[in-house]
């Protein structure tokens, strides 16, 4: 059996473990705890595009003091410790509410084994790693109502937001629901009448410590909100009002699924039973939980209006387990009569009649357990069986998903030898270029966001939020190949034109890379790519560029910079056309209907060194429940099945292949499926002797000042022999400030997506600084929040005196 680690092959490997490491690298380089720009990922982006992955996560920050420990190793340890803390805190919380020791232990185990807890501790860690602070917040709510002390509540909510601002919204909703219950409980114990006025005033006072925590979190929340509003995210079909308020009959969001609450049918039975309780405070709590779980509007709102998905209900888990613990106590004290206890089991069976068979088995067994309980009054059977169900389900799901990373693969991916190689190569590089890492599709996935050094720059990105201009350029304008199912996964491009445009001079690889030469073991170089920043006066206007179709819309970038205001170079059209040879592959239209992949060799005209095959066709998937793919010379394009949650929208497959000298054939591999290829276009771009970076487009290289270039600043010099434009391959954002010789210059969007600025003839000092929108405002709000908290504490101290 292959040894595994406590991390998954999916997002954990390519996002959740690498972004925190990058944040730590930024801290070591700049010394600032408030970074603004991620120059090394996705061409260079607002760092708050990646805040979701733990920018200020208090669980990760201690690793900044442990530079000798891999962040991924540290995260595995912290995830395990969080699970331990979850169980201990939940146990203590239920014991504080008078639950017997045995029932507290068993309910804590049920909580631990719930679908999302262990699974997401190694898969999507931010789905659950806020849980210790959520439970502390619930304990803080108890403390607030019982002792009128808000410190624990405010502190825990703040830490929950810092850990996972996305799931903290659901967590705060849980606190509001529970806070009303605690208010009703206190009023009952003090024999006070509940009035609208007292309820409203108490609600306002309860909101203050939570709002204070939100304000203190302003330095994260405000710039993140600005990034979310400015950046692009996946859009989904509109949802009608009726759909939002129509109860959802898919109870898998409650039952078992790791992408929901993940309990057994006992949770549904307990909620139903709560409707029959005599005290209104208890009825309220069950009804409120039932409505939040069943009405899709809550999922829609908690998901930010993106989609309806049950993952945002995970913060409801401790509250449901609390209700189960209280249910067990009632059964232990014989407070629930026979029919009041048995009917909910029967209703549960009716509610899930159309669900999966194993749920019916679960519900049937639980009905039998209910009958058995009323015979011998041993309430433990009502919890031991669900624990058994969850244990079996967890084992089966783990084996079926097989998502844990193999230890050998993990050690190879995180081998620090890569870091030494990167530092050595980039240490002697005087120019401004990118370096990327190539391997199998599996390792490419793992390395989408991996950065070995702050001097390493990459064009790939995998994030749910990103720079809109850059994403559109890759996906819509340049149509870079899409080998992944997930539209968010923008991989290292194999398109040689894109590589040249983005300044990918170096590639780490154990295999040969077309167009690159091996300069030392596993390091490949292409000295003809353009630097990340250079000056030119070879223009093509945006208006003229907009008239170009494939392949000229790609090859134009090899000869011209696309600018908004400026005249196109004379003879630009003839120059583009002179290098393109249209070819016939004999594949004008093709229907595929096969259960297996099939390869086909096609003839092409004899290639010269540096020639590029350009191929494009539309695909129509006749079986939309299945993915399809087509490989051309090992370069893959994939179209996701229609119902996939992250449908990649890749209905036009585009390829750019660097050809070998003398090559006369190409191989196309058609993946299995039922689909049609049509509207095929095929060309060869012929390289001439002037097509090197120094003889055509790039007239002057930007030379970076490595000591000054760090964090949100890029600084250096450029010597131009004539007036022109500084062209960069840094995605355009209006929050850049560019200074030339100390004077602020007006920025513009060039090459359809990137930052540019006009430069005069001569030697110039260039400084590019990025400021995250909302950061200063967020910091001010945080300071105000801290002042509110401090003054509130002072006032309470004086009251006590």
């Amino acid at each position: 059996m292959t040894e595994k680690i406590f991390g998954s092959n999916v997002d954990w490997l390519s996002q959740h473990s690498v972004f925190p490491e990058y944040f730590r690298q930024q801290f070591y380089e700049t010394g600032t705890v408030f970074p603004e720009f991620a120059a090394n990922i996705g061409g260079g982006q607002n760092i708050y595009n990646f805040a979701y992955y733990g920018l200020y996560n208090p669980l990760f920050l201690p690793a900044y003091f442990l530079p000798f420990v891999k962040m991924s190793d540290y995260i595995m340890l912290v995830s395990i410790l969080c699970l331990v803390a979850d169980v201990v805190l939940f146990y203590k919380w239920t014991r504080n509410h008078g639950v017997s020791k045995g029932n507290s232990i068993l309910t804590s185990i049920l909580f631990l084994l719930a679908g999302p807890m262990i699974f997401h501790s190694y898969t999507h860690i931010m789905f659950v790693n806020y849980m210790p602070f959520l439970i502390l917040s619930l304990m803080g709510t108890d403390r607030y109502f019982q002792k009128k002390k808000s410190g624990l509540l405010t502190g825990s909510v703040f830490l929950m937001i810092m850990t996972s601002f996305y799931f903290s919204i659901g967590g705060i909703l849980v606190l509001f629901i529970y806070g009303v219950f605690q208010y009703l409980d206190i009023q009952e114990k003090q024999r006070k009448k509940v009035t609208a006025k007292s309820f409203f005033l108490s609600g306002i006072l309860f909101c203050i410590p939570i709002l204070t925590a939100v304000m203190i979190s302003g330095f994260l929340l405000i710039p993140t909100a600005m990034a979310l509003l400015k950046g692009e995210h996946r859009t989904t079909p509109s949802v009608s009002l009726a759909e939002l308020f129509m109860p959802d009959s898919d109870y898998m969001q409650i039952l078992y699924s790791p992408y929901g609450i993940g309990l057994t049918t006992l949770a549904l039975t307990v909620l139903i039973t709560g409707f029959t309780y005599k005290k209104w405070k208890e009825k309220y709590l069950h009804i409120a939980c039932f409505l939040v779980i069943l009405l899709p509007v809550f999922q829609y709102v908690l998901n930010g209006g993106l989609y309806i998905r049950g993952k945002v209900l995970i913060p409801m888990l401790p509250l449901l387990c609390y209700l189960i613990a209280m249910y067990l106590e009632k059964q232990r004290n014989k407070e629930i009569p026979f029919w009041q206890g048995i009917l909910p089991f029967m209703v549960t069976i009716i509610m899930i009649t159309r669900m999966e068979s194993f749920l019916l088995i679960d519900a049937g067994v639980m009905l039998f357990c209910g009958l058995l309980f009323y015979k011998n009054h041993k309430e433990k059977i009502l919890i031991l069986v669900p624990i058994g169900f969850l244990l079996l389900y967890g084992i089966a799901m783990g084996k079926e998903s097989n998502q844990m990373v193999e230890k050998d693969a993990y050690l190879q991916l995180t081998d620090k030898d890569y870091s030494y190689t990167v530092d050595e190569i980039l240490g002697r590089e005087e120019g401004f270029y990118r370096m990327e890492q190539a391997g199998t599709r599996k390792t490419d996935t793992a390395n989408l966001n991996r950065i070995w050094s702050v001097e390493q720059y990459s064009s790939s990105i995998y994030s749910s939020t990103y720079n809109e201009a850059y994403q559109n350029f890759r996906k819509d304008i340049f149509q870079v190949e899409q080998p992944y199912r997930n539209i968010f996964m923008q991989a290292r491009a194999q398109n040689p034109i894109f590589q040249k445009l983005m300044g990918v001079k170096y590639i780490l690889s154990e295999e040969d890379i077309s167009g690159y030469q091996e300069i030392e073991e596993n390091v490949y170089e292409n000295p003809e790519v353009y630097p990340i920043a250079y000056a030119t006066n070879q223009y093509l206007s945006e208006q003229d560029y907009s008239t170009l179709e494939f392949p000229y819309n790609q090859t134009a970038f090899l000869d011209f910079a696309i600018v908004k205001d400026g005249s196109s170079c004379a003879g630009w059209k003839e120059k583009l056309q002179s290098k393109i040879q249209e070819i016939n592959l004999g594949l004008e239209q093709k229907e595929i209907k096969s259960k297996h992949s099939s390869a086909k060799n096609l003839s092409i005209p004899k290639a010269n060194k540096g020639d590029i095959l350009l191929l494009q066709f539309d695909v129509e998937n006749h079986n939309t429940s299945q993915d399809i793919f087509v490989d051309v010379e090992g370069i893959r394009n994939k179209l996701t099945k229609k119902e996939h949650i992250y449908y990649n929208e890749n209905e036009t497959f585009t390829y750019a292949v660097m050809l070998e000298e003398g090559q006369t054939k190409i191989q196309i591999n058609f993946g299995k499926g039922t689909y049609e290829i049509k509207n095929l276009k095929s060309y060869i771009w012929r390289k001439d002797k002037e097509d090197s970076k120094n003889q055509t487009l790039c007239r002057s290289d930007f030379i970076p000042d490595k000591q000054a270039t760090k964090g949100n600043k890029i600084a250096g010099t450029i010597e131009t022999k004539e007036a022109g434009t500084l062209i960069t391959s840094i995605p355009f954002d209006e929050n850049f400030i560019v200074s030339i010789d100390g004077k602020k210059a007006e920025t513009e969007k060039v090459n359809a997506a990137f930052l540019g600025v006009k430069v005069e003839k001569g030697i110039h000092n260039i400084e590019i600084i990025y400021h995250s929108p909302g950061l200063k405002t967020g910091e001010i709000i945080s300071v105000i929040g801290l002042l509110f908290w401090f003054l509130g504490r002072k006032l309470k101290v004086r009251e006590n005196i």
Side-chain angles (χ1 to χ4, degrees):
M1 182 177 178
T2 307
E3 195 173 352
K4 308 278 188 177
I5 66 161
F6 199 64
S8 79
N9 282 304
V10 193
D11 296 347
W12 186 91
L13 202 55
S14 56
Q15 291 180 313
H16 308 325
S17 65
V18 291
F19 274 118
E21 175 59 38
Y22 177 64
F23 300 149
R24 181 167 72 168
Q25 289 174 323
Q26 278 257 31
F27 174 74
Y28 290 155
E29 179 70 10
T30 65
T32 179
V33 293
F34 298 108
E36 299 186 71
F37 189 56
N40 313 83
I41 299 174
Q45 307 208 7
N46 182 350
I47 203 166
Y48 286 91
N49 284 342
F50 315 132
Y52 174 71
Y53 304 102
L55 181 58
Y56 297 113
N57 190 324
L59 299 172
F60 299 161
L61 294 179
Y64 288 22
F65 301 98
L66 304 169
F68 48 87
V69 177
K70 289 181 186 177
M71 180 62 82
S72 48
D73 289 347
Y74 175 85
I75 288 174
M76 283 189 278
L77 176 61
V78 165
S79 295
I80 294 170
L81 292 177
C82 276
L83 285 172
V84 174
D86 292 337
V87 173
V88 171
L89 289 170
F90 184 83
Y91 171 81
K92 182 173 177 56
W93 181 44
T94 53
R95 288 289 285 159
N96 290 344
H97 283 269
V99 178
S100 66
K101 188 175 182 180
N103 285 338
S104 286
I105 290 173
L106 291 173
T107 313
S108 299
I109 294 172
L110 185 80
F111 173 59
L112 173 66
L113 295 177
M117 293 299 291
I118 296 175
F119 179 81
H120 285 305
S121 291
Y122 67 85
T123 306
H124 299 94
I125 55 179
M126 69 280 299
F127 282 26
V128 293
N129 65 359
Y130 57 87
M131 201 64 77
F133 304 121
L134 174 55
I135 300 172
L136 281 171
S137 299
L138 291 165
M139 296 170 74
T141 301
D142 293 338
R143 184 179 174 86
Y144 171 83
F145 282 102
Q146 293 165 11
K147 300 182 179 181
K148 299 300 180 184
K149 294 183 178 180
S150 62
L152 179 59
L153 177 59
T154 299
S156 300
V157 172
F158 169 74
L159 292 172
M160 179 170 63
I161 294 170
M162 292 294 103
T163 306
S164 182
F165 65 84
Y166 189 91
F167 285 90
S168 70
I169 302 170
I172 290 172
L173 174 62
V174 168
L175 294 181
F176 285 145
I177 293 170
Y178 184 69
V180 172
F181 169 74
Q182 276 297 312
Y183 165 78
L184 296 174
D185 186 53
I186 291 295
Q187 295 297 100
E188 180 185 284
K189 288 177 179 177
Q190 295 178 355
R191 297 184 178 181
K192 292 181 180 180
K193 185 179 179 181
V194 177
T195 64
K197 182 179 179 181
S198 67
F199 179 80
F200 179 76
L201 290 175
S202 296
I204 294 295
L205 292 172
F206 177 64
C207 287
I208 290 174
I210 296 176
L211 182 61
T212 301
V214 173
M215 290 181 67
I216 297 172
S217 308
F219 66 92
L220 169 66
L221 296 180
I222 300 301
T224 299
M226 296 292 287
L228 289 170
L229 291 170
K230 190 67 179 175
E232 183 174 314
H233 47 72
R234 182 176 179 268
T235 57
T236 54
S238 59
V239 181
S240 69
L241 196 63
E243 288 177 286
L244 291 177
F245 289 94
M246 184 69 67
D248 191 349
S249 59
D250 181 9
Y251 303 113
M252 285 306 293
Q253 58 199 347
I254 312 174
L255 310 175
Y256 290 100
S257 171
Y259 292 91
I261 296 171
L263 291 169
T264 70
T265 61
L266 176 64
L268 199 54
T269 301
V270 169
L271 285 175
I272 296 166
T273 306
F275 283 51
T276 69
Y277 291 165
K278 293 179 180 179
K279 294 182 179 180
W280 272 105
K281 65 176 183 180
E282 294 176 333
K283 281 186 179 182
Y284 149 77
L285 192 53
H286 289 76
I287 293 170
C289 290
F290 200 80
L291 290 176
V292 169
I293 292 167
L294 255 62
L295 293 182
V297 64
F298 289 100
Q299 295 177 51
Y300 186 74
V301 171
L302 292 175
N303 276 305
L306 293 178
Y307 39 55
I308 297 173
R309 290 190 68 190
K311 65 180 182 180
V312 287
L313 296 178
I314 295 174
M316 296 290 292
L317 175 59
L319 195 52
L320 260 66
C321 287
Y322 167 83
L323 295 180
I324 291 172
M326 301 310 293
Y327 169 82
L328 292 175
E329 283 303 296
K330 285 180 177 294
Q331 293 288 34
R332 176 170 174 262
N333 297 326
K334 300 180 181 180
E335 295 179 22
I336 304 176
F338 176 79
W339 285 112
Q340 184 184 344
I342 289 299
L343 281 175
F345 287 105
M346 296 178 178
V347 174
T348 299
I349 292 175
I350 294 170
M351 290 180 68
I352 63 172
T353 300
R354 296 183 181 180
M355 301 293 289
E356 285 85 347
S357 57
F358 76 89
L359 292 181
L360 285 172
I361 294 171
D362 175 342
V365 171
M366 288 310 300
L367 174 59
F368 175 77
C369 290
L371 293 170
L372 198 60
F373 162 75
Y374 279 102
K375 183 178 179 181
N376 57 30
H377 289 283
K378 300 288 186 183
E379 83 280 356
K380 301 293 189 294
I381 193 171
L382 296 174
I383 187 80
L384 286 172
V385 172
I387 287 173
F389 280 144
L390 285 178
L391 187 60
L392 291 173
Y393 181 83
I395 293 171
M397 182 187 63
K399 287 183 178 179
E400 184 179 348
S401 62
N402 193 28
Q403 290 190 7
M404 280 191 170
V405 184
E406 294 182 3
K407 183 179 178 180
D408 290 344
Y410 168 73
L411 292 175
Q412 183 178 359
L413 282 167
T414 58
D415 189 343
K416 286 194 174 181
D417 285 347
Y418 287 114
S419 180
Y420 302 142
T421 301
V422 169
D423 285 338
E424 181 185 349
I425 297 297
L426 297 181
R428 58 178 185 251
E429 172 59 64
E430 295 181 355
F432 195 26
Y433 296 96
R434 291 188 170 91
M435 172 185 279
E436 299 184 339
Q437 196 167 340
T440 63
R441 288 189 187 91
K442 191 172 182 179
T443 57
D444 279 354
T445 303
N447 292 322
L448 280 168
N449 298 309
R450 196 178 303 278
I451 298 298
W452 292 103
S453 165
V454 289
E455 290 188 22
Q456 179 191 353
Y457 303 94
S458 170
S459 66
S460 64
I461 180 175
Y462 176 24
S463 172
S464 53
T465 306
Y466 36 75
N467 180 287
E468 182 178 3
Y470 184 60
Q471 176 75 0
N472 290 341
F473 181 81
R474 288 184 60 110
K475 184 169 65 75
D476 300 327
I477 297 175
F478 220 87
Q479 295 175 306
V480 173
E481 70 273 3
Q482 177 63 28
Y484 298 115
R485 306 182 75 212
N486 191 332
I487 193 173
F488 294 148
M489 300 174 75
Q490 295 297 310
R492 172 192 69 85
Q494 298 184 61
N495 183 321
I497 303 173
F498 189 83
Q499 289 173 332
K500 187 168 187 173
L501 174 68
M502 295 301 294
V504 183
K505 185 175 183 178
Y506 301 102
I507 296 179
L508 303 176
S509 174
E510 295 181 359
E511 303 290 338
D512 290 345
I513 303 293
S514 295
Y516 287 73
Q517 294 181 337
E518 190 171 19
I519 56 173
E520 59 181 75
E521 187 178 6
N522 299 333
V523 180
Y524 291 80
E525 178 188 29
N526 179 359
E528 294 189 357
V529 304
Y530 301 134
I532 296 174
Y534 60 90
T536 189
N537 61 2
Q538 300 294 298
Y539 300 142
L540 184 62
S541 71
E542 282 188 2
Q543 184 176 356
D544 287 332
Y545 178 76
S546 67
T547 66
L548 299 178
E549 296 181 351
F550 180 83
Y552 303 102
N553 64 337
Q554 291 199 18
T555 61
F557 292 101
L558 296 173
D559 294 298
F560 305 104
I562 317 302
V563 296
K564 183 176 182 179
D565 299 318
S567 300
S568 299
C569 292
W572 65 269
K573 188 174 291 185
E574 291 77 13
K575 185 173 184 178
L576 291 179
Q577 292 173 342
S578 67
K579 298 180 182 181
I580 296 291
Q581 176 187 352
E582 187 171 2
I583 63 174
N584 185 357
L585 293 176
L587 198 70
E588 297 306 319
Q589 188 160 338
K590 186 177 179 66
E591 292 187 10
I592 308 293
K593 191 174 183 179
S594 175
K595 295 181 179 180
H596 305 283
S597 299
S598 60
K600 188 177 181 67
N601 290 318
L602 302 175
S603 296
I604 60 171
K606 186 176 180 180
N608 300 317
K609 184 178 181 181
D611 287 354
I612 299 172
L613 171 71
L614 295 151
L615 178 64
Q616 186 180 83
F617 50 81
D618 296 331
V619 289
E620 185 176 340
N621 191 358
H622 296 304
N623 181 9
T624 57
S625 63
Q626 181 178 321
D627 295 356
I628 58 173
F629 71 85
V630 177
D631 295 345
V632 176
E633 290 290 289
I635 299 173
R636 173 165 294 187
N637 263 301
K638 177 177 284 190
L639 174 62
T640 314
K641 64 182 181 180
K642 200 76 173 182
E643 64 268 23
H644 184 51
I645 187 67
Y646 300 120
Y647 178 64
N648 69 5
E649 304 172 3
N650 189 30
E651 296 177 349
T652 298
F653 287 6
T654 303
Y655 304 84
V657 182
M658 181 67 73
L659 299 173
E660 299 293 332
E661 187 171 10
Q663 186 172 345
T664 58
K665 290 184 180 296
I666 61 166
Q667 185 179 80
I668 300 183
N669 184 30
F670 300 98
K672 66 180 181 179
T674 304
Y675 55 98
E676 185 178 355
I677 288 174
K678 52 188 179 181
N679 303 326
L680 184 138
K681 303 171 186 177
S682 51
Y683 307 84
I684 290 181
W685 179 83
R686 299 287 190 182
K687 179 181 178 180
D688 60 39
K689 46 176 120 175
E690 292 186 353
D691 287 316
S692 68
K693 67 162 189 170
N694 293 320
Q695 292 176 298
T696 54
L697 181 60
C698 179
R699 300 302 177 93
S700 305
D701 288 13
F702 171 84
I703 306 301
D705 179 343
K706 292 188 177 183
Q707 295 300 316
T709 299
K710 61 180 66 176
N712 66 330
K713 180 194 286 189
I714 297 168
T717 59
I718 192 167
E719 181 177 0
T720 57
K721 297 180 180 179
E722 50 201 349
T725 302
L726 179 71
I727 304 293
T728 78
S729 54
I730 301 168
F732 180 80
D733 189 311
E734 60 190 13
N735 297 288
F736 280 110
I737 297 174
V738 179
S739 298
I740 300 177
D741 300 325
K743 296 180 180 179
K744 184 178 178 181
E746 185 177 350
T747 61
E748 60 179 291
K749 185 185 289 186
V750 298
N751 283 347
F754 301 98
L755 177 68
V757 63
K758 293 288 191 296
V759 289
E760 298 297 326
K761 176 182 176 181
I763 300 174
H764 303 287
N765 293 314
I766 308 289
E767 188 174 79
I768 301 171
I769 296 177
Y770 184 83
H771 289 301
S772 293
L775 179 58
K776 293 298 181 186
T777 302
E779 290 173 342
I780 292 170
I781 291 174
S782 292
V783 171
I784 294 171
L786 283 169
L787 287 174
F788 279 173
W789 177 79
F790 180 75
L791 290 173
R793 300 282 291 178
K794 283 290 185 182
L795 287 173
K796 286 180 183 177
V797 168
R798 288 182 180 178
E799 286 176 6
N800 291 334
I801 292 173

